[in-house]
Amino acid sequence: MKSDERLERYAELVVRVGVNLAPGQLLELTAFPEHVPLVRAIARAGYRNGARYVDVRYSDPHVRRAMIEHAADDVLSWSPPWLLRRMEDSGREQSGTVFITGEAEPELLAGLDGERVARAQPRELRELGLKIMNEAANNWTVVAYPNEGWARTVFGEPDVERLWEAVAHAVRLDELDPVAAWEAHLSRLEHRGEQLDDLGIDALRFRGPGTDLTVGLLAQSIWEGGWDVTSWGRQHAANVPTEEVFTTPDLRRTEGTVRSTQPLALQGTVVRDLELRFEAGRVVDVRASTGAEVIQGAIAVDEGAAYLGEVAIVDANSRVGETGLTFFNTLFDENAACHVALGAAYEVCVRDGRGHSPEEKRRRGINTSIVHMDFMIGGPEVEVDALTNDGSAVPLLRKNEWQLA
Amino acid sequence: MKSDERLERYAELVVRVGVNLAPGQLLELTAFPEHVPLVRAIARAGYRNGARYVDVRYSDPHVRRAMIEHAADDVLSWSPPWLLRRMEDSGREQSGTVFITGEAEPELLAGLDGERVARAQPRELRELGLKIMNEAANNWTVVAYPNEGWARTVFGEPDVERLWEAVAHAVRLDELDPVAAWEAHLSRLEHRGEQLDDLGIDALRFRGPGTDLTVGLLAQSIWEGGWDVTSWGRQHAANVPTEEVFTTPDLRRTEGTVRSTQPLALQGTVVRDLELRFEAGRVVDVRASTGAEVIQGAIAVDEGAAYLGEVAIVDANSRVGETGLTFFNTLFDENAACHVALGAAYEVCVRDGRGHSPEEKRRRGINTSIVHMDFMIGGPEVEVDALTNDGSAVPLLRKNEWQLA
């Protein structure tokens, strides 16, 4: 496949499966400058598929770096009003929305004051974004664009073609009919979510080197996976790729220690050898060989940031896992391994979970935060069990193989 | 000079002379994706010079091209509300503002329907932008970034270094102390404006190959050049480079024919061999070997677009002219030669010209439009005379040499 043709196919997949754009919709893209070729291809694909208008915002990590280095303390968490307006409009207009990831310099912020790095989050914008996401106003998707810097991070050399091949496999672009392949794949994930719902799970237990973690669920927890659906009934695939089934835990009921099985690439910081200890749901100890300061800063951003908001199961069938790569990109790495996330929970994963106040949500054990930070805890050496309501322990993963029939 | 050092010096010049940033100001940048290195350098220079926050918007010409090709008719002139909000805030907050030019593909829109190209202007945004400019709310500047595509357009090969050297000379970056050189240069231009004001000019006459054009001025016309000043008293240099003195003509009193002496690069279209004929101020005939459709479309955008809003004098002392290059970039080409502009007039160039309604402005002979399209009409073969109120003809330029003592 020629690279131009591959790019156009990818853009079609993003628009038709990721966003599943409805004719006449606004299509909004947020990307880094290094994503220009994909942005342009998605803009063309958007108009071909009936977009009314394609609106692009490029966010520049180097400009953000300059802000973290130099701006006054109160500016770090400031949200430009026009970006709030863009997001408000996006919710009200129920736009199709694409976020492109794939950082050219995943360690751009290494060496800066980690506490300032952690606080550099436009707070109002994050809150509004999470609110709109929980309202399911948008058919949104997160995708990635292979670029030189990212390839250098993964392979130690700028072998973009090799990265493209891995990404194309992970997102099923190597299928004859990627759209049909996605439909079949998402149905399989939906089935898996139903299997887990049927088990009646009280808690999950993860055991492996450095890990003995119990994550208590809510009686109302629902497993999600496969298609996402907007409040107005439009299917979309919020992550391209996606290989996970996930739910919202009880924020009060995580106990034990966990060792991350993959480095974690945040915006400009790579956290390595992360180890956390939880008591009564709360992180009480943080260790890491790089980036510990940024994790410490992030869990201090608000009350919810020190508690879990998501737990997800990924098995060896993952196309991302099949590549055998560490991508230093959460969209990919979280789809290669079981993971948990500190911070905001998904309301869609809780029966009657929508539309409550933050206080009411916390009272019910549903986490709220402006942070949502996934990190990988699964792998071939980590056993995953479901501790069910009837008191039994049901194996879910052994050597990363799915154990349910 | 190493290229990194040159870029940093350039960014300092933009912030300290072009914008003349006041400590604590917001600094807003608008650029194309190909301008990333300069954007980042200006962001750093902005914070070094006391910016409270640096806000960047990248506008992507290829996304605009896709819109012109595919979007519905009414979308062509639509202004996204969040961009209006950004501009409103910019006026209210009196931000420092940088626009970066230097198109990588000046003929990107060649081959598209010229009438749609001409109509693809976000109307509300243009109107708001011109209103804020006339209110002199911002210390703003337009600068350019040498890039491969632009160099290819100028030289037929991507010799960026050669383009950088030309740009550096034109913007006085090759001076030991560019800031001091700019101060001296802008004082000279201010003096020249005073000389022209003292003449008592009723009209300008341009005569050369294909050109015999008389541009009548207003009794209230004022010549500007050198420093610009905001409504709150901040000096800035709205164009880097600038070599012109300019004023607002009487929109009703342009007569004759004019042949453009340089190709004109609009956004994505290059107009070559432009010839216009004016009667009672209005364009009544348009000819061009390329881009005629886009000019025809532009002068049909609104009533004022077919009348002049600016006339400017540039002589052989121009540093841009000294390079001997055609830049295919209006910021540079208009500063190498006398020029006129169709469309919006500058209120600052008219005594008591500020704050009138569009109707009142037109009644007074001051043009209003969402268009402001400069094109070059001067050169060594074009003689320029001032026809003064006392009935004499005073030579201003001969062989591009300034004739006033």
Side-chain angles (χ1 to χ4, degrees):
Chain A
M1 186 157 36
K2 291 219 187 81
S3 68
D4 280 3
E5 187 196 330
R6 182 171 60 191
L7 188 66
E8 295 298 324
R9 275 166 64 93
Y10 191 27
E12 281 287 325
L13 183 73
V14 171
V15 171
R16 292 176 57 197
V17 173
V19 178
N20 188 20
L21 189 77
Q25 271 197 300
L26 292 179
L27 178 60
E28 298 200 339
L29 279 68
T30 301
F32 294 141
E34 54 262 30
H35 302 152
V36 157
L38 181 59
V39 166
R40 292 171 177 178
I42 292 174
R44 290 189 294 267
Y47 281 116
R48 273 199 306 269
N49 284 278
R52 174 167 168 75
Y53 184 84
V54 179
D55 182 69
V56 174
R57 187 171 87 83
Y58 289 105
S59 156
D60 190 327
H62 283 256
V63 174
R64 182 165 177 266
R65 184 190 153 98
M67 181 194 69
I68 295 170
E69 281 190 290
H70 299 292
D73 265 18
D74 61 319
V75 172
L76 290 177
S77 57
W78 184 66
S79 303
W82 63 271
L83 282 183
L84 289 167
R85 175 67 197 257
R86 183 174 188 258
M87 197 171 275
E88 284 161 13
D89 287 357
S90 168
R92 194 175 44 243
E93 302 281 334
Q94 301 181 324
S95 310
T97 312
V98 179
F99 301 92
I100 306 181
T101 70
E103 286 175 85
E105 293 160 271
E107 299 200 68
L108 180 64
L109 304 183
L112 299 194
D113 177 344
E115 196 265 334
R116 281 176 67 85
V117 170
R119 277 199 294 126
Q121 297 291 341
R123 181 174 292 263
E124 276 186 79
L125 200 64
R126 292 281 302 158
E127 284 170 356
L128 183 62
L130 289 164
K131 176 171 169 286
I132 290 173
M133 192 192 65
N134 275 322
E135 289 169 358
N138 303 110
N139 37 339
W140 59 280
T141 192
V142 186
V143 304
Y145 179 67
N147 56 71
E148 269 195 19
W150 184 18
R152 194 179 293 111
T153 307
V154 177
F155 303 118
E157 56 182 354
D159 190 344
V160 181
E161 183 53 32
R162 191 173 160 204
L163 182 58
W164 250 117
E165 280 166 17
V167 167
H169 180 68
V171 304
R172 295 177 157 73
L173 209 58
D174 54 3
E175 294 281 343
L176 207 60
D177 182 347
V179 176
W182 267 83
E183 282 170 356
H185 170 59
L186 293 178
S187 295
R188 279 191 301 271
L189 289 175
E190 293 197 341
H191 172 67
R192 184 168 288 187
E194 288 159 13
Q195 280 187 302
L196 290 171
D197 281 339
D198 290 346
L199 272 186
I201 302 175
D202 176 63
L204 295 171
R205 189 164 180 194
F206 297 86
R207 285 176 301 180
T211 292
D212 188 351
L213 188 76
T214 305
V215 180
L217 303 190
L218 298 161
Q220 296 79 21
S221 293
I222 304 167
W223 288 89
E224 290 286 336
W227 289 106
D228 302 274
V229 186
T230 68
S231 59
W232 43 283
R234 190 84 183 172
Q235 284 189 330
H236 61 107
N239 285 185
V240 174
T242 183
E243 299 283 348
E244 59 177 326
V245 286
F246 58 99
T247 193
T248 288
D250 184 335
L251 73 89
R252 301 157 295 203
R253 293 181 56 222
T254 301
E255 299 283 348
T257 57
V258 63
R259 178 181 294 172
S260 185
T261 50
Q262 295 272 3
L264 167 60
L266 303 172
Q267 292 176 296
T269 306
V270 175
V271 182
R272 294 181 176 83
D273 307 312
L274 178 65
E275 294 188 18
L276 299 178
R277 189 157 60 81
F278 290 83
E279 284 179 16
R282 195 175 211 293
V283 174
V284 294
D285 190 42
V286 174
R287 288 154 204 253
S289 62
T290 66
E293 253 189 319
V294 177
I295 298 286
Q296 291 281 13
I299 67 175
V301 159
D302 56 24
E303 176 62 17
Y307 295 83
L308 291 189
E310 181 193 349
V311 58
I313 309 286
V314 179
D315 76 349
N317 275 327
S318 161
R319 285 229 173 175
V320 185
E322 281 174 12
T323 67
L325 297 172
T326 297
F327 285 88
F328 294 87
N329 176 294
T330 294
L331 174 66
F332 280 74
D333 292 330
E334 73 163 3
N335 279 304
C338 293
H339 56 273
V340 289
L342 289 166
Y346 297 116
E347 293 181 4
V348 69
C349 294
V350 184
R351 234 182 340 270
D352 303 322
R354 282 207 165 131
H356 303 298
S357 69
E359 297 70 31
E360 175 63 16
K361 281 166 74 172
R362 289 188 65 77
R363 203 189 59 74
R364 292 178 181 222
I366 307 165
N367 201 7
T368 69
S369 172
I370 64 163
V371 171
H372 181 93
M373 186 191 293
D374 297 274
F375 60 96
M376 285 57 77
I377 67 171
E381 297 179 294
V382 180
E383 297 185 345
V384 185
D385 293 317
L387 310 178
T388 62
N389 292 321
D390 62 11
S392 55
V394 179
L396 295 183
L397 290 181
R398 291 292 182 271
K399 296 188 180 6
N400 257 351
E401 296 293 334
W402 186 247
Q403 300 294 305
L404 299 183
Chain B
M1 187 157 35
K2 291 219 187 80
S3 68
D4 280 2
E5 188 196 330
R6 182 171 59 192
L7 187 67
E8 295 298 323
R9 274 166 64 92
Y10 191 28
E12 281 287 326
L13 183 73
V14 172
V15 171
R16 292 177 55 197
V17 173
V19 178
N20 188 19
L21 189 77
Q25 271 198 296
L26 292 179
L27 178 60
E28 297 201 338
L29 279 68
T30 301
F32 295 141
E34 53 264 31
H35 303 152
V36 156
L38 181 59
V39 165
R40 293 171 177 177
I42 293 175
R44 290 189 295 268
Y47 282 115
R48 273 199 306 269
N49 284 278
R52 173 166 169 75
Y53 185 84
V54 179
D55 182 69
V56 174
R57 187 172 86 83
Y58 289 105
S59 155
D60 190 327
H62 283 257
V63 174
R64 182 166 176 266
R65 184 190 152 99
M67 181 194 69
I68 295 170
E69 281 191 290
H70 299 292
D73 265 17
D74 61 318
V75 172
L76 289 177
S77 57
W78 184 66
S79 303
W82 63 271
L83 282 182
L84 289 168
R85 175 66 197 256
R86 183 174 187 257
M87 196 170 277
E88 284 161 13
D89 287 357
S90 167
R92 195 176 42 243
E93 303 280 336
Q94 301 181 324
S95 309
T97 312
V98 179
F99 302 92
I100 306 181
T101 71
E103 286 175 84
E105 292 160 271
E107 299 201 69
L108 180 64
L109 305 182
L112 300 194
D113 177 344
E115 196 265 334
R116 281 175 67 85
V117 170
R119 276 198 294 126
Q121 296 291 340
R123 181 173 292 264
E124 276 186 79
L125 200 63
R126 292 280 302 158
E127 284 170 355
L128 182 62
L130 289 165
K131 176 170 169 285
I132 290 173
M133 192 192 64
N134 275 322
E135 289 169 357
N138 303 109
N139 38 339
W140 59 280
T141 193
V142 186
V143 304
Y145 178 67
N147 56 72
E148 269 196 19
W150 184 18
R152 195 178 294 112
T153 306
V154 177
F155 303 118
E157 56 180 353
D159 190 344
V160 182
E161 183 54 31
R162 192 174 159 202
L163 182 58
W164 250 117
E165 280 165 17
V167 167
H169 180 68
V171 304
R172 295 178 158 72
L173 209 58
D174 54 2
E175 295 281 342
L176 208 58
D177 183 346
V179 175
W182 266 84
E183 283 171 357
H185 169 58
L186 293 178
S187 295
R188 279 191 301 270
L189 289 175
E190 293 198 341
H191 173 68
R192 183 166 291 185
E194 288 159 15
Q195 280 186 303
L196 291 171
D197 281 338
D198 290 345
L199 272 185
I201 302 175
D202 176 63
L204 295 171
R205 189 165 180 193
F206 297 87
R207 284 175 302 178
T211 291
D212 189 350
L213 187 76
T214 305
V215 180
L217 303 190
L218 298 162
Q220 296 79 18
S221 293
I222 304 167
W223 288 90
E224 290 286 335
W227 288 107
D228 303 274
V229 186
T230 67
S231 59
W232 42 283
R234 190 83 182 171
Q235 285 189 329
H236 61 106
N239 285 185
V240 174
T242 183
E243 299 284 349
E244 61 176 324
V245 286
F246 58 99
T247 192
T248 289
D250 184 336
L251 73 89
R252 300 157 295 203
R253 293 180 57 221
T254 301
E255 298 285 348
T257 56
V258 64
R259 179 180 294 171
S260 186
T261 49
Q262 295 273 4
L264 167 59
L266 303 174
Q267 291 176 295
T269 305
V270 175
V271 182
R272 292 181 177 83
D273 307 312
L274 177 65
E275 292 188 21
L276 299 178
R277 189 157 61 81
F278 290 83
E279 284 178 15
R282 193 176 213 295
V283 174
V284 294
D285 191 42
V286 174
R287 287 154 204 253
S289 62
T290 66
E293 252 190 320
V294 177
I295 298 288
Q296 291 281 13
I299 67 176
V301 159
D302 55 26
E303 176 61 16
Y307 295 84
L308 292 188
E310 181 193 350
V311 57
I313 309 286
V314 179
D315 76 349
N317 275 327
S318 161
R319 286 229 172 175
V320 185
E322 280 173 13
T323 67
L325 297 171
T326 297
F327 286 88
F328 294 86
N329 176 293
T330 294
L331 174 65
F332 280 74
D333 292 330
E334 74 162 2
N335 279 305
C338 293
H339 55 274
V340 289
L342 291 165
Y346 296 117
E347 294 180 4
V348 70
C349 294
V350 184
R351 236 182 338 270
D352 303 323
R354 282 208 166 129
H356 302 299
S357 69
E359 297 69 30
E360 175 62 16
K361 282 165 74 172
R362 289 188 65 77
R363 204 189 59 74
R364 293 179 180 222
I366 307 166
N367 201 7
T368 68
S369 171
I370 65 164
V371 170
H372 181 93
M373 187 190 293
D374 297 274
F375 60 96
M376 284 57 76
I377 67 170
E381 297 178 295
V382 179
E383 298 185 345
V384 185
D385 293 318
L387 310 179
T388 61
N389 292 322
D390 62 12
S392 55
V394 179
L396 295 182
L397 290 180
R398 291 293 181 270
K399 295 189 180 8
N400 258 352
E401 296 294 332
W402 188 246
Q403 300 295 304
L404 300 182

